[in-house]
């Protein structure tokens, strides 16, 4: 029997991307499919997503909460009595052929730009409704709304899908079909917490609103709904899975996670080889391999030229491709830049986010013209250019569920300099003497989140640069590491199996 998986998310590369979740949604479903599963994505019909999907078949109307055959008081209400009801449209991602359901809900998803934040960086005012409908669509599909395709597993990603688990909990009291419910935390810091007064509008019965349900300090928490009402929880690295059961990284939900520890699994993300492969990357040509790095030297020269850095091939070129936030530890970086430049290094930064961090980095660029460059914004081609052309990629993160750019850096021989936290601790091995000696070193790792530790790790990078044979050995090892989606998919299949033991997987 083929395992049917409804994969519920809000972004997928290349149609819509704000961060790593989009890369995961592009990489994991095809890997599960390759292992024999039948996976369909469910996404809100944001404009970028609609533009990249070819519809197939007729629309499927989505009953609102309390609709015919549904328990009363469960499920979101339509905002206006006159407006058309939300509906689902089946289709395929045009470029990849991956099957999807798009959730259309008039007035909820048509805004352009960022799916979560308006032009002032504030959450869209109807955020709760937007993602309640997403959860509701998942719950209805999960309990058999479309008889021709009923999933065995509903797999939701991040807080936006959290109410799916609460609705499924309610619907499964009466529904004939009860899918296994798996939830993946990509970032526990974003929780979807809303005013309790929204409960009737979202169709969340009073019986769910208590401290062992989805109530969080008197409010509705979408994240807590998922953590409470899923059968299994995964997160994107083994270390983060441990960290979130403690007060420091638990964001107030450590108690819930500790209680569910037996069903909490850490599964490292993979790298999509069709997008991030230095030999075939169309955004980085000529390509390169660990044995022939000529293309990498050319990528460095192109990057220096593009970002207005002096064309010094011997300069150790540090880089950042990231949201510019405290989560990423980038508030530490400006204080380390003068020393980095004094030691002969350069810095190329691509990102946007926190205004104070942006400004501090802009000041660094003004102070060190030709040695420090900042591009504010989101730019896929430049991201590839940086990860290919730089020598070192920096992730001094405060917390990091998995982190993808260090994995891309490893693949492109751009050694990651990271703080030992979350997925960074699981994927990068420091260039200490003993690690150099046994061939396991792949980057530079520091422990405490402060600027002196960051500077010491930078010094280690300069020291390794002065030992070219060692640098090459570390680079070769880094480029040989593989974080495949096939390995991750096999682990997800094991998690699915653990919550549906009676069902054979293929
Ligand atoms: P997070 O999801 O926390 O932002 P990840 O490391 O998991 O961090 O994933 C970030 C993804 O977004 C990577 O694919 C990275 O290359 C990409 N990215 C981040 N900032 C930018 C940017 N300014 N321009 C292009 N790509 C970016």
């Amino acid at each position: 029997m083929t395992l049917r998986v409804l994969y519920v998310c809000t972004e997928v590369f290349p149609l819509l991307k704000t961060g790593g979740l989009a890369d995961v949604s592009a990489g994991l479903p095809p890997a599960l499919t390759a292992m024999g599963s039948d996976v369909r994505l469910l996404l809100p019909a944001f404009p970028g997503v609609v533009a990249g999907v070819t519809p197939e078949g007729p629309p499927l109307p989505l009953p609102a909460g309390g609709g015919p055959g549904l328990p009363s008081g469960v499920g979101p209400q339509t905002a206006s009595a006159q407006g058309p009801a939300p509906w689902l449209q089946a289709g395929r991602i045009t470029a990849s052929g991956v099957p999807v359901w798009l959730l259309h809900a008039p007035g909820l998803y048509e805004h352009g730009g960022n799916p979560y934040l308006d032009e002032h960086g504030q959450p869209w005012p109807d955020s709760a409704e937007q993602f309640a409908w997403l959860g509701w669509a998942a719950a209805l599909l999960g309990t058999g709304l479309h008889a021709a395709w009923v999933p065995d597993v509903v797999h939701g990603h991040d807080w936006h899908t959290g109410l799916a688990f609460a609705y499924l909990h309610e619907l499964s009291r009466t529904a004939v079909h009860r899918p296994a419910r798996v939830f993946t935390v990509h970032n526990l810091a974003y929780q979807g917490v809303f005013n309790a007064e929204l409960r009737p509008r979202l169709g969340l019965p009073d019986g769910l609103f208590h401290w062992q349900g989805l109530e969080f300090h008197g409010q509705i928490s979408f994240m807590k709904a998922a953590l409470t009402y899923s059968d299994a929880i995964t997160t994107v690295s083994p270390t983060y899975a441990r960290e979130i059961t403690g007060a420091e990284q638990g964001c107030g939900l450590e108690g819930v996670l500790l209680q569910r520890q037996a069903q909490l699994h850490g599964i490292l993300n993979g790298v999509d080889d069709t997008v991030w492969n230095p030999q075939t990357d169309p955004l980085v040509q000529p390509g390169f391999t660990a044995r022939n790095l000529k293309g990498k030297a050319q990528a460095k020269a192109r990057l220096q030229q593009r970002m207005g850095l002096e064309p010094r091939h011997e300069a150790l070129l540090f880089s950042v491709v990231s949201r510019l936030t405290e989560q990423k530890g980038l508030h530490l970086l400006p204080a380390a830049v003068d020393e980095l430049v004094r030691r002969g290094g350069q810095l190329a930064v691509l990102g946007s986010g926190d205004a104070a961090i942006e400004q501090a980095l802009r000041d660094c660029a003004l102070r060190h013209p030709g040695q420090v460059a900042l591009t504010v914004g989101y730019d896929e081609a430049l991201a590839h250019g940086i990860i290919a052309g730089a020598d070192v990629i920096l992730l001094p993160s405060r917390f990091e569920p998995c982190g993808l750019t260090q994995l891309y850096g490893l693949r492109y021989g751009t050694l990651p300099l990271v703080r030992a936290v979350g997925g960074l601790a699981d994927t990068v091995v420091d260039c200490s003497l003993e690690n150099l000696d046994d061939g396991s070193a792949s980057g530079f790792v520091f422990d405490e989140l402060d600027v002196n530790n960051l500077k010491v790790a930078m010094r280690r990078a300069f020291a390794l640069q002065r030992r070219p044979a060692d640098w090459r050995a570390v680079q070769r090892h880094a480029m040989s590491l593989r974080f495949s989606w096939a390995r991750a998919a096999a682990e997800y299949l094991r998690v699915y199996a653990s919550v549906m033991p009676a069902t054979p997987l293929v």
Side-chain angles (χ1 to χ4, degrees):
M1 197 198 91
T2 304
L3 183 82
R4 290 175 170 172
V5 182
L6 182 67
Y7 183 106
V8 193
C9 62
T10 47
E11 38 184 292
V12 59
F13 178 82
L15 309 189
L16 180 65
K17 170 167 167 174
T18 72
L21 174 61
D23 292 3
V24 176
S25 303
L28 177 57
L32 289 166
T33 304
M35 300 182 95
S37 302
D38 176 4
V39 186
R40 294 194 188 184
L41 270 56
L42 166 63
L43 288 139
F46 292 120
V49 178
V50 175
V53 167
T54 306
E56 280 177 0
L60 179 64
L62 194 71
L70 294 167
S72 67
V74 181
Q77 311 298 307
T78 31
S80 121
Q82 302 90 5
W87 73 94
L88 289 161
Q89 175 64 58
R92 284 178 188 274
I93 296 181
T94 311
S96 62
V98 170
V100 292
W101 288 106
L102 293 190
L103 171 61
H104 291 265
L108 282 189
Y109 306 125
E110 288 96 348
H111 60 72
N114 187 295
Y116 319 119
L117 305 174
D118 66 16
E119 59 279 20
H120 309 293
Q122 296 303 313
W124 293 102
D126 49 9
S127 234
E129 276 97 344
Q130 282 184 315
F131 300 116
W133 277 101
L134 179 64
W136 182 237
L140 290 182
L141 283 170
T143 47
L145 178 72
H146 183 59
W149 194 88
V150 183
D152 302 297
V153 180
V154 171
H155 186 174
H157 296 263
D158 267 354
W159 75 260
H160 312 98
T161 67
L163 289 197
F165 299 89
Y167 295 138
L168 278 169
H169 177 78
E170 287 298 305
L171 293 180
S172 63
R173 295 177 196 279
T174 50
V176 177
H177 183 75
R178 184 192 180 284
R181 300 167 291 183
V182 177
F183 177 68
T184 297
V185 179
H186 295 265
N187 194 332
L188 191 64
Y190 301 96
Q191 301 187 349
V193 174
F194 297 98
N195 194 314
E197 286 170 15
L198 284 173
R199 272 182 297 149
R201 236 189 25 251
L202 305 184
L204 296 170
D206 289 349
L208 301 176
F209 196 69
H210 55 89
W211 70 276
Q212 285 172 310
L214 53 73
E215 183 262 348
F216 186 62
H217 300 290
Q219 296 187 288
I220 300 164
S221 166
F222 281 41
M223 176 64 85
K224 192 172 169 193
L227 299 181
T228 304
Y229 296 115
S230 52
D231 299 317
I233 303 166
T234 75
T235 188
V236 287
S237 69
T239 295
Y240 193 59
R242 279 193 302 279
E243 288 169 345
I244 55 179
T245 60
E248 198 182 324
Q249 306 272 12
C251 304
L253 289 169
E254 58 274 14
V256 183
L257 285 156
L258 204 54
Q259 217 171 16
R260 303 231 39 211
Q261 211 167 19
Q263 298 94 35
L264 173 61
H265 311 265
I267 302 177
L268 267 182
N269 285 336
V271 171
D272 188 341
D273 206 52
T274 63
V275 181
W276 293 100
N277 178 336
Q279 206 172 356
T280 55
D281 188 338
L283 298 170
V284 181
Q285 286 303 317
F288 55 91
T289 62
R291 285 164 63 167
N292 182 354
L293 288 167
K294 231 165 66 198
K296 184 163 175 69
Q298 291 173 338
K300 179 170 178 175
R302 276 199 310 277
L303 175 61
Q304 287 171 320
Q305 189 186 23
R306 173 162 180 189
M307 294 197 73
L309 296 168
E310 278 178 14
R312 291 193 293 124
H313 72 91
E314 76 289 355
L316 191 61
L317 177 48
F318 292 81
S319 65
V320 172
V321 177
S322 179
R323 292 183 288 118
L324 302 179
T325 63
E326 285 215 12
Q327 177 204 326
K328 300 291 179 181
L330 292 169
H331 57 297
L332 296 183
L333 185 56
V337 165
D338 290 353
E339 183 171 330
L340 181 158
V341 173
R342 190 168 51 73
R343 290 182 182 275
Q346 293 183 332
L347 174 65
V349 179
L350 167 64
S352 62
D354 184 300
I357 298 177
E358 266 180 42
Q359 189 53 49
L361 289 168
R362 205 171 280 120
D363 292 344
C364 292
L366 286 172
R367 222 165 45 242
H368 301 290
Q371 311 307 331
V372 176
L374 167 69
T375 298
V376 172
Y378 184 89
D379 184 332
E380 190 67 28
L382 183 56
H384 281 249
I386 290 178
I387 285 168
D391 298 303
V392 178
I393 181 138
L394 298 166
L395 288 100
S397 303
R398 182 186 291 283
F399 68 94
E400 194 62 75
C402 176
L404 287 169
T405 43
Q406 86 280 11
L407 302 182
Y408 303 153
L410 290 167
R411 191 80 173 83
Y412 283 66
T414 301
L415 303 185
L417 189 159
V418 306
R419 181 161 173 254
V421 69
L424 302 173
D426 293 331
T427 55
V428 184
V429 176
D430 184 58
C431 280
S432 63
L433 276 179
E434 64 278 18
N435 293 335
L436 281 175
D437 192 50
D438 69 14
S440 61
S442 59
F444 313 96
V445 183
F446 68 98
D447 282 321
E448 292 304 316
L449 185 71
D450 78 34
V451 70
N452 284 327
N453 284 296
L454 171 62
K455 285 182 182 174
V456 170
M458 284 176 168
R459 282 175 59 193
R460 223 153 40 250
F462 283 108
L464 193 70
Q465 188 199 25
R466 281 191 293 277
R467 293 158 177 75
D470 284 338
W471 185 283
R472 287 282 292 114
V474 174
Q475 199 175 34
R476 249 195 320 273
H477 173 61
M479 293 178 81
S480 76
L481 297 169
R482 290 292 177 271
F483 296 91
S484 80
W485 275 118
R487 180 255 330 138
E491 291 187 50
Y492 280 104
L493 287 176
R494 274 198 289 279
V495 172
Y496 298 159
S498 75
V499 286
M500 42 183 302
T503 313
L505 282 182
V506 187

